[in-house]
Amino acid sequence: MHSFARLRGLIPSTRTIAAISTRPTRLFPRPLPSSYPRRPFSSSPLIMAAITVHSTLKPGPPVPFVPREEGAVSWYACGPTVYDLSHLGHARNYVSTDIIRRILMHYFDYKVNFVMNYTDVDDKIIIKARRKRLLELEKEKPYTAEQIRDLIFKAFQAYTKNLPLLVSEDATPLDEKNYQERKEAAYGVVLAGGPLVPETKPGDAEAKVKMHLNNMDAAAEALKNGSGLDAAEDVLLPYLDSLYKETIDTSDQTIFTNLTKTMEQAFADDMEALNVLPPDVITRVTEYVPQIVAFVEQIVQKGFAYEADGSVYFDIGAFEKAGNTYARLRPESKNDTALQEEGEGSLSTALGGKKRSGDFALWKKSKPGEPYWPSPWGAGRPGWHIECSVMASDKLGEQMDIHSGGIDLAFPHHDNELAQSEAYFHDCCKGEHTWVKYFLHMGHLSIAGSKMSKSLKNFQTIQDALASTYTARNMRIVFLLSRWNDGVEISPDMRKQADNWETTLDNFFTNIKARLSEVDASSGIKDLSLSEDAGAKGLLEDFDQAKKDLDAALRNSFDTPTAMQVLLKLVRNANIYMNSSNSNVQALESVARWVTKIVGIFGLDANAQPPYEGGLGWSSATASNKANVDPQTAVKPYAAVFNQVKQEVAALDLSSGNESIKSLLEQQNPDSEFAELEKSGEKDAEKLALPFIRATSKLRDELRTTISSGAALDPKVKQAILALSDRIRDYDLTDLGVQLDDRVDGPSLVKFVPAAKLIQAREEKAALLAEKARQKEEARKAKEKAEQEKWEKAKLPPQELFKNDAKYTEFDADGLPTKLADGNDVPKAQVKKLKKEWEKQKKLHEEYLAKFGSA
């Protein structure tokens, strides 16, 4: 299996796009050779059941999946437009696509020919690359601080076209001083999470407003503190572009390719980090320009496109008049001008000559400051939609089984792809052409009600997500728990559900491996007798049902949420059985190996290899780092711990009265066991380390037995044994990623757990104990303080209780107030209250005298 890393050589070297595009034109794919590998279907009755899939071409319930060629699937996926780093929305699309691809390949045994493109010519790429260059040129100019401020201020005011509510004709000009007040007045509701339009839900429009306000915030701050051009970049770039875009020399197109190659590599790195299988074939627009020109020419010749002022547009009216259907994926969006304009690109709004507003560009006339290639219609560049039609048709022919992409591409991009491709292959004698059999659209990933988008800047990059809040496995689990064609809004509850699912399986694998290593019974899936163990029989019946349920789920349009629940239910049943007395390890092993295979198929183990047979559990980050290292190097830390523990146990001098410890010290030889494993070619670091870990654990078990047996021991020796036992478990082995589970009726159970996880648990436990100790000490001090305050107050005789209170001037013989400071008698109600206080003080003072005496 190759990786994205191995495909990096496919990224073109530094040279002009024009040079790349001189390659020979080939519009039709070569047929697959007879040697092209086929993986036969399994003879299992399960595999013969029908597979169904949700296809956007046929709204409603899933339809039967019948590829053009038995056992093989041709698939074209829309790749990224490489102008910026990829975000979690891209991860949702490409990871979900990868999951379906893996299921088809490794569960249903299809040979999948997977083609993906990189869009490396696009309005967004042109704008970003050009603006980046203009900013570089601007920084080279010898501006004074005042000139820089003036430039930023002009850009600041020009940017308000994106936020029309900030300005009005009768108001004073907007500047950095009145900006905050104007912002709150105009967009305070949106900033507080409300909608632009009352009685509606906030969405993309509100996200765009927040993005523009963030850009204005930065510029306003730059104007206040004079922090320079970089601080105001987001408002400065469009302003510079409006002034100087036509001055950029695009004859050397490295201005664009430098950006696209960098972003393409970043995307490939992201996909590799997410364990996404690389495409079988990668295509790029810049390598297909001659083929695109030829493709457009044929559409024009067939009467489905027309030239206007150097651009070529698809003629929707002519296409439909010939009996074809336009907007088959999203017919309700057919006349959505906002989506149509977005599909044409922001640099194409000034292009004219369209017969109808819905007609879309196949070839765009290049304006100054844009890349260009020769064509029969003059210097220009490909339209966005045409690229996929040409590249997919070149690699997969006039019909493919699957075309996929994000749901946001359905209209106009994919609808336009269908139209222009079916126009190209149109034969008036054969009726409407079918270019794609099944269109798969991955659901949006949303944040605060709006889709995650580069253009809205409301995204978290994949790099940042993997560095801070996710692992690749955890992210994939989140997507597996949602249907691939449904929208996903990641919430704390969803994250918690994914974390719990992962933890449950992780603990299951850890416990099973510990049980197997304990009995040394790991020898693959076995045929089991159901008659001897009722518990095992029940588990294996659950196991058989789980296989059927999972198979049914995956055949139902790759229903991974149901499949994930099937796995979780089976694992929980296995855990219940495992915790019962005398559980059958072979039955548990069978379940664990099957679960391992399925999570491998789902892509949840980056180190697993197809056909995912024979393994048990998924690899941790620790295990992946230790894989295939030198055996001597791998076991060195474990051997060091054993030798240290052996020396310390011997120093306790317990062997004279303890034959078990004496025997272990003299006869245990983990080096010999390790040598046999090394000789056999074993490369698994955990298996190589087991002889030393078991030997260490046995010594510790005997120390614990010595304490629990009640043997007469010197208190210092007993304390030393307890301290050594705890240290071995909590530090020596924990730091190596080994957990010892102490058991009352048997030896400790050895488990391999990532060291970081164990150390974190140890630190959390220590922090919890420290917090309890702190709270206990605070409670002690508070009690002590209250006790001191009580007895300090108790010293005072009740006759003196009110004597120093200025509210009263006369008192009776017991010291109770009779006159107020104004000469009036103390009211009866108040006298009653004062009497209660006096009685309380009298009782307290008597307690004081009884405890401390008159002193």
Side-chain angles (χ1 to χ4, degrees):
M1 182 180 68
H2 52 275
S3 66
F4 267 101
R6 291 178 62 187
L7 284 174
R8 288 172 187 165
L10 295 177
I11 299 175
S13 58
T14 305
R15 48 187 167 173
T16 65
I17 299 176
I20 293 174
S21 302
T22 57
R23 297 175 181 176
T25 302
R26 181 171 62 82
L27 292 179
F28 296 99
R30 302 179 185 91
L32 293 174
S34 59
S35 60
Y36 194 66
R38 305 281 184 233
R39 299 186 66 184
F41 284 108
S42 166
S43 59
S44 165
L46 289 175
I47 302 299
M48 300 306 293
I51 303 171
T52 60
V53 61
H54 281 100
S55 172
T56 319
L57 283 166
K58 297 180 180 178
V63 297
F65 180 67
V66 184
R68 296 170 64 243
E69 180 182 347
E70 184 178 349
V73 175
S74 56
W75 188 338
Y76 181 86
C78 273
T81 300
V82 282
Y83 74 99
D84 207 341
L85 294 175
S86 299
H87 54 67
L88 288 183
H90 295 103
R92 159 62 169 165
N93 179 14
Y94 295 106
V95 171
S96 296
T97 299
D98 182 69
I99 290 166
I100 297 173
R101 181 184 173 195
R102 287 172 176 271
I103 291 169
L104 285 172
M105 291 169 61
H106 303 308
Y107 187 84
F108 292 120
D109 289 325
Y110 281 101
K111 179 62 185 179
V112 177
N113 183 21
F114 189 85
V115 181
M116 189 192 80
N117 77 297
Y118 283 115
T119 296
D120 56 356
V121 179
D122 180 79
D123 288 28
K124 295 185 179 76
I125 293 170
I126 296 168
I127 291 169
K128 176 146 189 187
R130 189 170 67 196
R131 289 177 176 179
K132 182 179 179 182
R133 179 59 180 150
L134 286 171
L135 184 61
E136 291 170 354
L137 293 172
E138 207 67 15
K139 289 178 180 178
E140 294 173 1
K141 296 178 180 179
Y143 282 140
T144 64
E146 186 59 35
Q147 287 173 320
I148 290 175
R149 189 193 183 285
D150 183 61
L151 180 63
I152 295 174
F153 183 70
K154 289 177 179 177
F156 178 78
Q157 290 193 314
Y159 198 84
T160 58
K161 69 179 182 181
N162 299 300
L163 297 161
L165 298 182
L166 284 178
V167 293
S168 61
E169 294 181 2
D170 56 346
T172 57
L174 182 72
D175 58 27
E176 72 276 16
K177 296 175 183 177
N178 59 28
Y179 165 68
Q180 287 295 334
E181 182 182 350
R182 294 270 194 92
K183 180 179 78 169
E184 289 296 330
Y187 295 105
V189 173
V190 174
L191 291 170
L196 279 168
V197 180
E199 308 300 324
T200 62
K201 288 185 177 181
D204 290 355
E206 286 73 14
K208 187 170 289 188
V209 165
K210 291 178 181 178
M211 176 196 72
H212 289 315
L213 288 172
N214 285 337
N215 295 342
M216 289 286 282
D217 288 345
E221 192 64 26
L223 288 169
K224 287 179 182 178
N225 58 31
S227 50
L229 299 178
D230 288 332
E233 179 176 315
D234 287 319
V235 301
L236 196 57
L237 289 175
Y239 180 66
L240 294 176
D241 199 48
S242 68
L243 296 177
Y244 307 121
K245 61 186 175 185
E246 296 184 358
T247 67
I248 294 293
D249 179 13
T250 57
S251 60
D252 177 7
Q253 295 179 359
T254 55
I255 181 178
F256 306 109
T257 57
N258 287 342
L259 172 65
T260 58
K261 285 189 292 183
T262 299
M263 291 300 109
E264 180 180 327
Q265 186 62 69
F267 175 83
D269 291 343
D270 287 343
M271 294 302 103
E272 190 169 4
L274 292 174
N275 196 29
V276 171
L277 295 173
D280 298 308
V281 180
I282 287 177
T283 62
R284 298 176 184 84
V285 184
T286 53
E287 298 170 354
Y288 267 84
V289 176
Q291 293 96 319
I292 290 171
V293 170
F295 200 96
V296 173
E297 282 186 297
Q298 177 151 323
I299 297 175
V300 172
Q301 291 168 8
K302 289 192 173 185
F304 297 124
Y306 56 91
E307 185 269 342
D309 192 26
S311 296
V312 179
Y313 298 100
F314 188 80
D315 191 334
I316 294 174
F319 180 70
E320 291 181 322
K321 188 175 181 180
N324 301 296
T325 305
Y326 177 68
R328 289 198 281 130
L329 298 171
R330 286 286 185 268
E332 70 279 7
S333 300
K334 181 178 178 180
N335 298 313
D336 189 322
T337 54
L339 288 177
Q340 289 169 349
E341 289 175 3
E342 184 180 346
E344 289 294 80
S346 60
L347 296 179
S348 305
T349 54
L351 297 178
K354 287 186 181 182
K355 292 180 179 179
R356 303 166 195 81
S357 61
D359 291 352
F360 55 91
L362 302 178
W363 182 263
K364 298 178 179 181
K365 177 182 179 180
S366 289
K367 301 187 293 295
E370 298 177 5
Y372 56 88
W373 289 262
S375 81
W377 315 285
R381 56 190 176 90
W384 175 31
H385 318 296
I386 195 67
E387 62 181 66
C388 291
S389 292
V390 177
M391 294 185 289
S393 298
D394 180 58
K395 296 299 181 183
L396 300 177
E398 62 182 41
Q399 186 182 68
M400 69 197 75
D401 294 309
I402 296 175
H403 193 327
S404 67
I407 187 60
D408 56 316
L409 298 181
F411 185 90
H413 184 53
H414 287 157
D415 266 321
N416 289 353
E417 272 188 53
L418 284 171
Q420 62 203 10
S421 301
E422 290 169 358
Y424 178 88
F425 292 110
H426 178 78
D427 185 333
C428 59
C429 300
K430 295 182 179 179
E432 195 167 8
H433 181 76
T434 300
W435 187 56
V436 175
K437 291 197 71 176
Y438 306 94
F439 235 120
L440 276 54
H441 284 108
M442 310 300 142
H444 274 314
L445 182 70
S446 299
I447 179 168
S450 61
K451 70 176 182 179
M452 192 171 285
S453 164
K454 289 179 185 177
S455 59
L456 295 178
K457 293 187 179 179
N458 64 340
F459 62 87
Q460 182 181 28
T461 66
I462 293 172
Q463 292 177 10
D464 178 55
L466 293 179
S468 58
T469 54
Y470 287 92
T471 64
R473 177 181 296 154
N474 186 252
M475 189 184 296
R476 188 173 284 249
I477 290 170
V478 168
F479 299 143
L480 281 160
L481 289 171
S482 307
R483 272 195 171 271
W484 58 268
N485 56 324
D486 287 344
V488 177
E489 181 149 13
I490 296 179
S491 64
D493 286 344
M494 175 176 284
R495 290 299 307 273
K496 184 177 180 180
Q497 183 185 5
D499 291 343
N500 291 341
W501 192 96
E502 181 176 7
T503 299
T504 300
L505 264 72
D506 200 40
N507 291 338
F508 173 65
F509 289 142
T510 298
N511 291 331
I512 290 292
K513 287 195 283 187
R515 294 291 185 92
L516 287 172
S517 67
E518 184 180 39
V519 300
D520 198 26
S522 181
S523 56
I525 298 175
K526 303 171 178 64
D527 293 326
L528 305 173
S529 171
L530 300 180
S531 59
E532 299 176 359
D533 185 341
K537 181 178 180 180
L539 176 62
L540 293 174
E541 287 174 349
D542 291 340
F543 183 20
D544 186 58
Q545 187 61 47
K547 289 180 179 178
K548 295 175 182 176
D549 291 344
L550 183 128
D551 185 79
L554 297 186
R555 292 177 184 282
N556 181 25
S557 193
F558 318 111
D559 180 4
T560 59
T562 298
M564 296 286 276
Q565 293 308 314
V566 169
L567 293 176
L568 188 63
K569 180 180 178 181
L570 177 62
V571 166
R572 285 173 173 167
N573 289 341
N575 282 334
I576 293 170
Y577 174 66
M578 183 167 23
N579 292 328
S580 65
S581 59
N582 301 319
S583 56
N584 186 314
V585 178
Q586 294 180 11
L588 290 166
E589 181 186 8
S590 296
V591 170
R593 291 191 184 279
W594 181 76
V595 173
T596 298
K597 177 174 181 175
I598 299 304
V599 299
I601 289 172
F602 286 173
L604 291 172
D605 185 355
N607 288 333
Q609 299 290 328
Y612 308 107
E613 302 282 2
L616 201 161
W618 49 36
S619 61
S620 66
T622 306
S624 65
N625 291 335
K626 292 180 179 178
N628 296 320
V629 298
D630 172 64
Q632 294 285 344
T633 304
V635 303
K636 190 174 182 179
Y638 304 96
V641 166
F642 168 70
N643 290 325
Q644 177 66 27
V645 168
K646 183 178 179 181
Q647 290 177 17
E648 293 183 63
V649 173
L652 291 171
D653 196 23
L654 301 172
S655 57
S656 59
N658 190 317
E659 289 299 320
S660 297
I661 288 182
K662 180 180 179 180
S663 175
L664 288 174
L665 289 173
E666 292 176 353
Q667 297 178 18
Q668 280 201 122
N669 188 6
D671 291 287
S672 176
E673 292 181 55
F674 164 71
E676 289 296 320
L677 288 169
E678 185 181 25
K679 185 179 179 181
S680 70
E682 181 63 63
K683 291 292 185 180
D684 187 296
E686 293 180 357
K687 291 180 180 178
L688 290 168
L690 267 176
F692 299 98
I693 297 170
R694 284 179 181 146
T696 304
S697 182
K698 286 178 181 178
L699 281 172
R700 180 177 173 276
D701 286 338
E702 283 304 322
L703 292 177
R704 294 175 60 240
T705 301
T706 300
I707 294 293
S708 62
S709 66
L713 294 170
D714 181 277
K716 291 184 178 179
V717 173
K718 184 175 182 180
Q719 186 62 36
I721 291 173
L722 290 171
L724 177 58
S725 177
D726 287 347
R727 195 202 74 201
I728 293 169
R729 180 193 61 201
D730 297 338
Y731 288 90
D732 295 351
L733 294 181
T734 285
D735 291 348
L736 296 177
V738 177
Q739 175 180 314
L740 294 183
D741 282 359
D742 292 335
R743 294 183 290 185
V744 176
D745 56 349
S748 297
L749 190 63
V750 175
K751 297 180 179 179
F752 286 96
V753 180
K757 185 176 180 181
L758 291 178
I759 292 169
Q760 181 182 0
R762 181 181 70 199
E763 291 175 348
E764 288 175 353
K765 180 180 178 181
L768 181 62
L769 292 174
E771 177 62 19
K772 286 183 178 179
R774 186 191 64 79
Q775 291 177 0
K776 185 177 180 180
E777 178 63 14
E778 284 188 355
R780 184 193 67 77
K781 289 180 178 179
K783 183 178 180 182
E784 187 177 90
K785 182 180 179 183
E787 192 76 2
Q788 289 174 346
E789 291 173 350
K790 170 187 172 182
W791 295 122
E792 188 64 31
K793 182 180 179 182
K795 286 182 182 180
L796 186 69
Q799 294 83 358
E800 302 295 326
L801 183 61
F802 303 111
K803 291 291 180 71
N804 294 323
D805 194 332
K807 294 196 296 287
Y808 311 110
T809 56
E810 294 184 20
F811 307 88
D812 65 13
D814 291 328
L816 285 165
T818 56
K819 292 285 186 181
L820 297 172
D822 61 4
N824 291 320
D825 291 338
V826 176
K828 291 182 179 180
Q830 192 171 344
V831 169
K832 188 176 181 180
K833 181 180 179 182
L834 293 171
K835 181 66 173 175
K836 284 184 179 180
E837 289 184 42
W838 189 93
E839 292 288 351
K840 185 178 179 182
Q841 183 67 18
K842 179 175 180 291
K843 181 179 179 181
L844 189 62
H845 186 65
E846 288 172 349
E847 290 179 10
Y848 174 80
L849 294 175
K851 186 175 180 68
F852 300 103
S854 60

